[in-house]
Amino acid sequence: SIFIDTLAKAQAQEELNKDDLKVLLSADGEEASLLFKHADAVREKYLGKEVHLRGIIELTNYCKQNCHYCGLRRGNEQLSRYRLTYREILTTAEQAVALGYKTLVLQGGEDSYFSARDIYELVKEIKKMDVAVTLSLGEHDFDTYKLWREAGSDRYLIKHETADPHLYEHLRPGKRLKQRLQCQSWLKELGYELGSGCMVGLPGQTLDTLAEDLLLLKKMDVDMAGIGPFIPHPQTPLASAQQGTLEMTLKMVALARIIMPLVHLPATTALGTIHPEGREKALQAGANVVMPNVSPSEYRALYQIYPNKICIRDEPVHCRSCITGKIKALGRVVSTTRGHSPKGGITR
Ligand code: SAM
Ligand code: SF4
Ligand code: FES
């Protein structure tokens, strides 16, 4: 069959073109299982059994953007807003480091309350704790990214969201895909390890677009790709849209692994939200990273990007042992390193 022929091409490590990717994205049932199995083998061969944990601290749920998909959008007036104080952030970071996290991700809405200097000071302070720092704070100018890099930030996570420029512009009012990719290029130029990614199942997205998403990740030569299902949020314009599926998201993760053997791929929290074993399934279809929440429990419920997010009632210490248990149950091991990009030649 055309599926078997294309899978054979993938197994022979031949380059997959857009048509090939579409064939593999159309796999179902048995075929999809074969695809996952191959991706799992590629992960094992290139990266072994190590799973990297990244602790996410959700700094603020204020956002000046109005993305149609996101519960933090400025138009959501029903959401109570919070920002962690400088002290709270440092305490949270210390606790996460004590739990053994070797990478902390500082994420938030685009909140002008925090100046570029504030973030600089914060990163400087956290870097004293002997961890890798990833920032995920949206779009900023070159000089801001430069300043944050000088503070010691190692990585930046800024997903391209969708490779379809029209869909992108529709879903992110006032924003352009080109600007997003410009940010990504700057970040690479500044020596950050780059995290990108996309949502799966956005309304208006096609198989063609999903294949483009994969090709764009490859073209941008990303170090990490966060691929998760779109989950409709009731207080957004996409409230009545369909949710992305487990199957399609897993196929995207698997193909990302197959075409980019050394990239870091998280088993996303969103996947764990739409299916109780979503993260485990992703870890067996190419993923090698998990990003547990380490935010203070009293704020977790307010960082409601999408509804029913897992772990909102759990303490950091609970998530840490929960996820370690899941990783071990799969015969894998929790990495004790910072888990820098195996692609990079950067030594720190
Ligand atoms: N504000 C920054 C940004 O947009 O890059 C970082 C925080 S933003 C909440 C992090 C990610 O959440 C986005 O890159 C997007 O992919 C994801 N996201 C937002 N709304 C979502 C939804 N309804 N379902 C799944 N993922 C969503
Ligand atoms: Fe803001 Fe990011 Fe949500 Fe868009 S996805 S509304 S930029 S937090
Ligand atoms: Fe939070 Fe399992 S990772 S409860």
Side-chain angles (χ1 to χ4, degrees):
S1 74
I2 176 136
F3 171 80
I4 292 297
D5 293 345
T6 313
L7 183 65
K9 208 173 152 182
Q11 285 163 336
Q13 295 188 330
E14 283 176 43
E15 186 153 327
L16 301 176
N17 62 32
K18 189 162 157 186
D19 288 335
D20 297 331
L21 292 172
K22 285 166 75 174
V23 167
L24 296 175
L25 283 171
S26 312
D28 53 73
E30 291 273 289
E31 291 177 348
S33 305
L34 292 174
L35 184 68
F36 303 155
K37 220 174 139 196
H38 177 52
D40 198 43
V42 173
R43 187 270 311 151
E44 180 79 32
K45 175 175 171 197
Y46 286 87
L47 304 168
K49 297 195 187 312
E50 275 195 310
V51 176
H52 301 283
L53 300 185
R54 325 293 199 191
I56 303 201
I57 306 178
E58 298 156 339
L59 303 189
T60 171
N61 72 354
Y62 283 86
C63 189
K64 62 184 176 201
Q65 301 302 341
N66 218 12
C67 306
H68 283 197
Y69 39 81
C70 179
L72 309 190
R73 66 198 304 271
R74 67 164 189 268
N76 181 8
E77 287 167 7
Q78 293 174 67
L79 181 66
S80 340
R81 305 283 172 164
Y82 78 90
R83 314 184 159 95
L84 301 188
T85 64
Y86 192 73
R87 262 285 119 225
E88 283 173 318
I89 299 166
L90 292 182
T91 307
T92 303
E94 273 159 12
Q95 285 167 352
V97 171
L99 286 175
Y101 286 99
K102 308 282 182 219
T103 295
L104 298 181
V105 183
L106 306 183
Q107 195 183 72
E110 289 189 18
D111 181 2
S112 317
Y113 174 87
F114 292 99
S115 70
R117 268 282 144 192
D118 291 339
I119 301 297
Y120 173 90
E121 300 297 342
L122 195 59
V123 172
K124 277 228 122 168
E125 216 40 49
I126 294 176
K127 282 302 286 184
K128 291 182 191 159
M129 300 175 196
D130 199 27
V131 279
V133 170
T134 302
L135 296 179
S136 181
L137 301 169
E139 295 179 27
H140 297 273
D141 58 27
F142 182 87
D143 290 340
T144 301
Y145 288 148
K146 184 160 180 277
L147 187 70
W148 295 347
R149 178 84 180 120
E150 284 159 8
S153 313
D154 302 272
R155 313 184 187 128
Y156 204 98
L157 172 57
I158 179 164
K159 302 195 203 179
H160 72 259
E161 314 294 2
T162 173
D164 175 343
H166 299 289
L167 184 59
Y168 183 97
E169 284 163 28
H170 171 66
L171 295 177
R172 305 200 71 222
K175 311 303 281 181
R176 297 275 175 270
L177 179 58
K178 261 195 168 159
Q179 294 168 348
R180 194 83 165 173
L181 301 180
Q182 174 67 263
C183 288
Q184 293 188 342
S185 303
W186 285 336
L187 291 160
K188 279 183 74 86
E189 185 184 331
L190 287 164
Y192 285 89
E193 291 179 14
L194 175 65
S196 181
C198 60
M199 282 174 279
V200 178
L202 289 165
Q205 197 178 41
T206 61
L207 223 50
D208 204 82
T209 311
L210 289 168
E212 291 286 358
D213 282 318
L214 291 166
L215 293 171
L216 180 58
L217 292 169
K218 184 152 176 149
K219 179 174 153 210
M220 294 304 293
D221 192 24
V222 303
D223 297 289
M224 179 272 209
I227 298 171
F230 158 69
I231 305 174
H233 187 295
Q235 290 150 18
T236 65
L238 300 183
S240 55
Q242 287 282 316
Q243 159 177 302
T245 66
L246 172 73
E247 276 262 301
M248 189 57 86
T249 308
L250 290 174
K251 286 188 274 185
M252 285 290 286
V253 171
L255 284 169
R257 170 59 64 221
I258 291 166
I259 66 168
M260 299 174 288
L262 293 178
V263 84
H264 280 312
L265 293 176
T268 58
T269 303
L271 203 50
T273 297
I274 66 163
H275 190 284
E277 268 125 50
R279 288 176 300 175
E280 291 88 328
K281 287 177 190 284
L283 287 170
Q284 294 174 287
N288 71 322
V289 172
V290 183
M291 302 172 71
N293 195 333
V294 296
S295 302
S297 335
E298 60 265 41
Y299 299 111
R300 285 188 181 199
L302 298 177
Y303 200 79
Q304 209 196 84
I305 308 174
Y306 47 76
N308 307 317
K309 206 163 147 223
I310 50 173
C311 306
I312 58 166
R313 274 176 205 86
D314 299 300
E315 294 291 337
V317 61
H318 176 74
C319 289
R320 176 62 220 238
S321 61
C322 163
I323 211 68
T324 304
K326 290 182 195 294
I327 290 165
K328 288 188 178 157
L330 296 173
R332 305 276 279 279
V333 293
V334 175
S335 171
T336 53
T337 74
R338 292 185 185 191
H340 280 308
S341 179
K343 289 176 54 202
I346 314 163
T347 44
R348 287 186 195 82

